[in-house]
Amino acid sequence: MLKLVVESYKNQIKSGFKNLWAQGWAIYIYMLAIPPILFDIASHVLLYYCVMIPQLLGLMLSRMYPNQMSKTLLLCPMNVEERIAYVKTGFVFRCVLPIGLFVIVNGILVLVGVLPILHFLGMLLIQFLYATAVNVYRLPISGNFNTMQRKYNLPGNYEVWNVIIQLLGLVGSVMFITDVPDMQAIHTIEESRTFDVVMLTIMVVLLFLAWLKIMKTYYKPVMEQAIGIEEMIENPGKAG
């Protein structure tokens, strides 16, 4: 099934970039260019890009290949189990790719002493929560460059949680990166470091709560729509 997913994504590259353009591609440029200028990370620019490029890759893949089956696959005689396997394999693939890149690149920084292990583990948790949450995504039924005006066939206000998870994930990573200069103190947690440790912990907890909301509220309906469950109900003969 993984081979089918990869081939399908390769065939959808053109339409994938169209999806990316429609969903506000400029955030990728902003996040790569602006924070290094605004925040005091001049001595950790390499670390910044080693963290943010995998994270933004996860967001980019989620927008290029939202949870859905191409029109070609919808016409194929695939049964429900095969459709579910395809959609879930695609979901895992889009999550594992950026997380794996993060582990490889930043694992090297840990080995050479640039990144402390506790910061690595904290940012790895953020990468996991962020990548899995942003990939619980469907294209809006009414696209709009104004984020909050997009409409989705999903319960509640999906776009609000979509914005929240992105902000928490990106800000959380930046907080960990800017905290790296105090890497020696983090091991002893001196009194002067208590505030920083508390703030990092609060950020991770907030991100986890937002992730939990998205997974509990949106994962199931997104996956049901992704396999074309409505189309199968209307045309049961095509479901195999």
Side-chain angles (χ1 to χ4, degrees), residues 9 18 37 40 42 57 67 69 77 94 104 107 133 158 185 211 232:
Y9 284 3
K18 288 182 179 179
I37 299 174
D40 184 23
L57 174 63
N67 294 286
M69 300 187 69
R94 297 192 308 274
I104 293 172
Y158 170 80
W211 173 85
M232 288 189 292

Side-chain angles (χ1 to χ4, degrees), residues 29-58:
I29 297 177
Y30 296 156
M31 287 307 302
L32 291 177
I34 295 178
I37 299 174
L38 295 180
F39 298 99
D40 184 23
I41 56 175
S43 60
H44 293 84
V45 171
L46 174 62
L47 172 60
Y48 177 82
Y49 287 115
C50 286
V51 173
M52 297 308 297
I53 288 177
Q55 190 163 350
L56 291 175
L57 174 63

Side-chain angles (χ1 to χ4, degrees), residues 87-207:
V87 171
K88 288 189 175 181
T89 301
F91 176 82
V92 172
F93 176 77
R94 297 192 308 274
C95 294
V96 169
L97 198 62
I99 294 173
L101 178 61
F102 172 88
V103 171
I104 293 172
V105 174
N106 291 280
I108 295 174
L109 297 184
V110 172
L111 293 176
V112 298
V114 173
L115 179 63
I117 187 64
L118 290 180
H119 286 72
F120 171 80
L121 294 175
M123 288 189 288
L124 177 58
L125 178 58
I126 289 177
Q127 290 279 338
F128 171 80
L129 296 174
Y130 184 86
T132 51
V134 297
N135 272 286
V136 180
Y137 178 74
R138 289 278 293 167
L139 288 175
I141 55 178
S142 61
N144 195 306
F145 274 103
N146 186 328
T147 301
M148 301 313 296
Q149 292 183 9
R150 295 171 188 160
K151 304 297 181 182
Y152 297 84
N153 185 24
L154 294 169
N157 196 331
Y158 170 80
E159 194 59 51
V160 169
W161 291 104
N162 172 39
V163 171
I164 288 174
I165 200 72
Q166 290 189 46
L167 286 176
L168 290 176
L170 295 172
V171 172
S173 291
V174 171
M175 287 177 62
F176 268 94
I177 294 168
T178 56
D179 192 65
V180 167
D182 297 320
M183 62 179 69
Q184 287 79 22
I186 192 68
H187 295 294
T188 57
I189 311 185
E190 299 173 355
E191 185 177 352
S192 60
R193 293 284 300 138
T194 301
F195 177 78
D196 297 326
V197 173
V198 169
M199 292 304 296
L200 290 173
T201 302
I202 289 175
M203 179 56 66
V204 172
V205 170
L206 290 176
L207 179 61

